[in-house]
């Protein structure tokens, strides 16, 4: 039988008795939280920033005015240094932003005086401006080369809804063939045609009339798939086959893929009477290393 008096326990059996320290542990009051624990538990007070702000952006150091960082109120930088958010500091007291700082100087130069980066850095600075949500800088960069030309190019590529899918197919086929053959490169045939209906040198002067006078049943006689790996087209725009080829090579190269291409002839499939396909066929050579 155990008798409890206050917080002291007395046991009739010495073996079952608890030491006074054990008893105290059972009824121990919660410890007073440390400063670190309190800081974690309590919301942080608004952070105060000096007028001149030292920065550490991914290991690169910058110094700028607080007003520069807050120049455009809808940006991430303005929000970060508004005092509503806590920003850690490094060992030297510089405010740390966990981002590659290579192009942060271009960001600051725009915030300071509206300066734009040289052409060779436009694409990279554009990505940083997207990250920091600097709308005015994005608008300015989109109006200069090469981004302005890219907008025109994308408008052309928008005419071909499966363009990106076809690019992926080129890459996948080339990869599988190279792996199967244990080869450094792979070749595949790509058809790029602008006009939907077949054209021969004899049809060209009458192409438009022939195109619209054919009935639906007659049109089906001309429908076929060229014996190629990937086929692009048709489309209606001033841009021609060579323009699309340039887009294909550019986008593959942007992904680090080495590609060469050459025209190896036309489909030349006989359809009906004197009509032949005549769609150009290109051989693409993808080199993997």
């Amino acid at each position: 039988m155990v008798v409890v008096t206050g917080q002291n326990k007395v046991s009739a059996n010495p073996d079952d008795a608890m030491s006074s320290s054990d008893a105290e542990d059972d009824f121990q009051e919660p410890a007073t939280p440390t400063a670190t624990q309190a800081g974690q538990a309590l919301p942080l007070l608004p952070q105060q920033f000096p007028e001149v702000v030292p920065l550490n952006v991914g290991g690169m150091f910058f110094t700028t005015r607080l007003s520069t960082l807050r120049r455009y109120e809808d940006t991430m930088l303005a929000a970060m240094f508004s005092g509503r958010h806590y920003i850690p500091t490094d060992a030297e007291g510089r405010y740390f932003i966990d981002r590659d700082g290579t192009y942060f100087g271009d960001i600051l130069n725009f915030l300071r005086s509206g300066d734009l980066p040289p052409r060779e850095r436009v694409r990279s600075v554009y990505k940083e401006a997207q990250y920091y949500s600097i709308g005015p800088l994005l608008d300015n960069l989109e109006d200069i080369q090469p981004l302005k030309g890219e907008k025109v190019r994308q408008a052309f590529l928008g005419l071909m809804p499966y363009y990106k899918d076809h690019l992926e197919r080129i890459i996948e086929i080339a990869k599988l063939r190279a792996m199967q053959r244990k080869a450094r490169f792979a070749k595949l045939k790509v058809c790029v045609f602008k006009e939907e209906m077949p054209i021969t040198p004899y049809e060209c002067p009458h192409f438009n009339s022939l195109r619209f006078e054919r009935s639906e049943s007659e049109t089906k006689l001309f429908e076929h798939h060229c014996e190629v790996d990937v086929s692009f087209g048709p489309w209606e725009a001033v841009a021609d086959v060579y323009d699309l080829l340039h887009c294909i090579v550019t986008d593959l190269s942007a992904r680090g893929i080495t590609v060469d291409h050459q025209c190896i002839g036309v489909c030349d499939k006989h359809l009906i009477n004197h009509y032949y396909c005549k769609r150009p066929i290109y051989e693409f050579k993808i080199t993997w290393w």
Side-chain angles (χ1 to χ4, degrees):
M1 178 177 179
V2 179
V3 179
V4 179
T5 304
Q7 293 185 0
N8 296 323
K9 298 181 181 180
V10 179
S11 176
N13 186 350
D15 295 333
D16 295 333
M18 298 178 62
S19 66
S20 60
S21 60
D22 291 337
E24 291 174 358
D25 288 342
D26 284 350
F27 296 90
Q28 187 176 3
E29 293 292 333
T32 303
T34 63
T36 302
Q37 292 171 334
Q40 293 174 347
L42 299 175
L44 295 168
L45 296 175
Q47 195 169 12
Q48 301 295 322
F49 299 101
E51 183 178 355
V52 178
V53 182
L55 298 170
N56 178 345
V57 184
M60 300 183 68
F61 307 139
F62 302 89
T63 304
T64 188
R65 292 175 63 92
L66 181 61
S67 58
T68 299
L69 297 172
R70 295 175 176 176
R71 183 170 300 279
Y72 299 103
E73 62 180 9
D74 293 332
T75 67
M76 180 187 291
L77 288 174
M80 290 172 65
F81 290 90
S82 64
R84 300 190 304 270
H85 307 282
Y86 175 76
I87 302 178
T89 57
D90 63 13
E92 301 299 326
R94 292 179 285 253
Y95 295 97
F96 181 72
I97 299 177
D98 193 10
R99 182 77 176 174
D100 186 353
T102 304
Y103 302 101
F104 192 76
D106 293 302
I107 298 293
L108 286 181
N109 286 337
F110 177 80
L111 295 176
R112 288 165 176 155
S113 55
D115 292 343
L116 298 176
R119 178 172 178 174
E120 63 270 15
R121 295 208 299 269
V122 166
R123 293 182 185 274
S124 298
V125 175
Y126 186 82
K127 291 181 180 179
E128 294 305 298
Q130 287 179 313
Y131 176 79
Y132 293 111
S133 302
I134 306 177
L137 178 54
L138 291 171
D139 293 339
N140 277 273
L141 293 176
E142 288 175 355
D143 284 336
I144 62 177
Q145 289 286 52
L147 294 183
K148 190 168 187 177
E150 181 63 16
K151 291 176 67 175
V152 177
R153 192 178 80 96
Q154 290 299 329
F156 162 54
L157 294 178
L159 300 175
M160 285 161 282
Y162 300 107
Y163 175 76
K164 292 183 178 180
D165 294 334
H166 292 337
L167 285 183
E168 294 299 329
R169 182 168 173 79
I170 289 176
I171 296 172
E172 188 63 23
I173 292 175
K175 182 180 69 174
L176 289 175
R177 287 183 181 171
M179 293 178 66
Q180 289 171 354
R181 300 172 184 177
K182 309 297 187 295
R184 180 185 176 191
F185 61 87
K187 295 181 180 180
L188 62 159
K189 292 181 180 179
V190 178
C191 179
V192 181
F193 65 100
K194 182 177 179 180
E195 304 292 351
E196 184 175 6
M197 302 300 290
I199 303 177
T200 68
Y202 304 101
E203 294 178 65
C204 287
H206 310 288
F207 176 73
N208 290 332
S209 61
L210 288 170
R211 181 178 185 180
F212 293 105
E213 287 178 1
R214 289 170 179 154
S215 65
E216 182 178 352
S217 60
E218 290 174 331
T219 300
K220 290 183 178 180
L221 296 174
F222 297 93
E223 293 179 355
H224 78 289
H225 297 286
C226 302
E227 295 180 359
V228 295
D229 298 299
V230 183
S231 186
F232 292 84
W235 68 87
E236 294 184 3
V238 175
D240 59 19
V241 169
Y242 299 102
D243 296 320
L244 182 58
L245 285 170
H246 181 272
C247 291
I248 296 172
V249 173
T250 298
D251 290 334
L252 290 175
S253 299
R255 298 179 61 172
I257 297 174
T258 302
V259 54
D260 297 302
H261 68 280
Q262 62 177 345
C263 184
I264 58 174
V266 296
C267 177
D268 207 26
K269 181 177 180 179
H270 180 251
L271 302 177
I272 183 174
N273 297 331
H274 60 282
Y275 294 106
Y276 295 83
C277 176
K278 300 302 180 185
R279 292 172 180 172
I281 297 178
Y282 296 83
E283 181 182 74
F284 274 55
K285 179 181 177 182
I286 307 295
T287 303
W288 291 105
W289 83 85

